[in-house]
Amino acid sequence: MAPAWEQLAGEYKDSATALVAEVDCTTEGKPLCDEHGVRGFPTLKHGDPAALEDYQGGRDYDSLANFAKDNLKPVCSPNNIDLCDDAKKAEIKALMDLPAEKLVEQISAEESKLEEAETHFKNEVQKLQDTYQKLMEDKEAKVAAVKAAGLSLMKSVQAAAKKLAGKDEL
């Protein structure tokens, strides 16, 4: 992915509205990474710098370039209110009018929903993994039982019989 990312960064290096960059989360960039929830590497983020979102697309150059072309542009936000439709302007105004503690409370509630979704997903994936493991063990036991019952010997006898039958026909 590094060559594709470097090529894309080069193409956007002079952009006034988009930033394609990398941060070393193991050194001086660690506080920034912690602030934006970066847990694994590489992690790609996009969107409003105050509310970055995870990138879920392909890691090849074409996927990254297409995503950048379609998404790395100014978007409706409190800092770009002129890009918002009337409904989004009203939503932003309502949120900006909230007391700070109420906004923090609402953000926490929504983040909790995300954490719950992630926990549920991980739990369900573990159940699938456990089911897969049990199915593999059951299959391996059945295969071993069939082999122990003499399948290989039966096939060997069948092959020998066919070979003998072929000699008789000559």
Side-chain angles (χ1 to χ4, degrees):
M1 184 184 93
W5 186 259
E6 290 166 7
Q7 181 179 352
L8 189 67
E11 292 173 12
Y12 279 85
K13 70 179 180 182
D14 296 323
S15 173
T17 59
L19 173 65
V20 175
E22 60 184 74
V23 176
D24 184 348
C25 293
T26 63
T27 59
E28 66 275 354
K30 187 169 180 0
L32 182 63
C33 295
D34 291 344
E35 176 184 344
H36 292 287
V38 175
R39 292 180 193 84
F41 311 109
T43 295
L44 304 180
K45 299 276 190 172
H46 69 94
D48 185 326
L52 293 175
E53 298 177 34
D54 289 334
Y55 169 74
Q56 301 294 335
R59 302 294 176 113
D60 59 284
Y61 172 76
D62 289 337
S63 297
L64 292 167
N66 286 332
F67 181 85
K69 183 180 79 150
D70 294 341
N71 295 281
L72 297 186
K73 55 191 171 197
V75 294
C76 167
S77 72
N79 294 327
N80 291 310
I81 198 80
D82 55 311
L83 299 176
C84 303
D85 61 27
D86 290 340
K88 193 55 81 172
K89 286 178 183 177
E91 186 178 350
I92 290 171
K93 181 176 180 344
L95 290 170
M96 292 180 80
D97 289 345
L98 287 175
E101 59 276 358
K102 185 69 174 169
L103 185 58
V104 167
E105 184 181 300
Q106 287 185 2
I107 290 169
S108 293
E110 295 305 312
E111 287 177 339
S112 291
K113 291 176 186 175
L114 292 176
E115 290 171 12
E116 288 172 20
E118 183 68 22
T119 299
H120 176 71
F121 172 77
K122 287 179 178 179
N123 290 340
E124 294 302 312
V125 167
Q126 185 59 51
K127 288 178 189 175
L128 289 172
Q129 185 62 35
D130 294 345
T131 299
Y132 172 81
Q133 185 65 34
K134 176 74 170 109
L135 289 169
M136 282 296 296
E137 291 168 1
D138 291 350
K139 179 193 134 210
E140 289 171 359
K142 289 176 184 176
V143 167
V146 167
K147 288 180 179 180
L151 177 63
S152 294
L153 182 58
M154 290 178 207
K155 287 183 176 183
S156 179
V157 168
Q158 181 185 41
K162 284 181 183 178
K163 192 173 183 180
L164 286 175
K167 286 183 183 178
D168 290 342
E169 292 177 8
L170 293 176

